[in-house]
Amino acid sequence: MFDTLTQDIFDCIEEHHAAVDYTRDPLEFCRAEGIDFILGPRSLARTRRNENGPDLIVLNPSDYTPRDLFSIAHEIVHIILAREDYIKLIRHYHLPSLPPALHRRHIERIIDAGAGRIIMPNQDLALAMQKYRDHPRAIKYLMDECGASEAAALKCV
């Protein structure tokens, strides 16, 4: 279903998430990964490898909702992929075949898919499908158990 590079990226995210026992607490994930987390005017991720400082996630302090959970997971994936040099590999192997106008969107889609895997790990998806198949209760289960938004849960079921 995915090309080798994309599957390798998802496996890398899975390994990082497994290392923290698939925590659903993004702040715990950040602490375990050595990522500083602060509130600020807009959501972003910064790697500071070249500055000898910790990587940083900034999140807008608006209400803490499933959307914010996804935003944090999205920024965590940005940092993991930058640390592991996957962004360079995506640029080298994927982007030459795409029009320049789609480059950023392509990278963001891969990162979004990785964030979805943090919020709804494979074992949670499998359990939801085993218990409920494609019934709407599977969506409710993912929202309740994983903190996923309705839109994210719908994409997975």
Side-chain angles (χ1 to χ4, degrees), residues 3-95:
D3 71 301
T4 305
L5 176 57
T6 304
Q7 187 58 56
D8 194 46
I9 288 168
F10 293 155
D11 291 345
C12 174
I13 293 164
E14 173 82 12
E15 288 172 19
H16 281 266
H17 202 194
V20 292
D21 291 329
Y22 297 100
T23 182
R24 290 189 174 98
D25 179 350
L27 299 180
E28 182 180 332
F29 198 141
C30 287
R31 282 190 293 277
E33 288 284 328
I35 300 169
D36 283 352
F37 180 90
I38 62 172
L39 299 176
R42 65 186 182 102
S43 299
L44 60 91
R46 290 284 182 254
T47 56
R48 294 182 173 171
R49 278 190 294 191
N50 300 332
E51 300 171 22
N52 295 327
D55 294 328
L56 173 69
I57 290 177
V58 179
L59 186 70
N60 187 304
S62 60
D63 295 336
Y64 191 76
T65 66
R67 179 70 207 157
D68 296 319
L69 182 65
F70 181 84
S71 295
I72 296 168
H74 178 96
E75 301 305 338
I76 289 170
V77 173
H78 262 291
I79 288 172
I80 290 171
L81 297 190
R83 284 178 176 177
E84 304 282 344
D85 288 329
Y86 279 111
I87 300 297
K88 290 178 185 175
L89 291 172
I90 293 168
R91 286 185 177 130
H92 181 77
Y93 290 106
H94 284 188
L95 299 189

Side-chain angles (χ1 to χ4, degrees), residues 128-139 157:
M129 296 311 293
Q130 179 185 359
K131 286 174 97 170
Y132 305 110
R133 303 227 182 269
D134 62 353
H135 192 276
R137 283 182 292 196
I139 296 163
V157 174

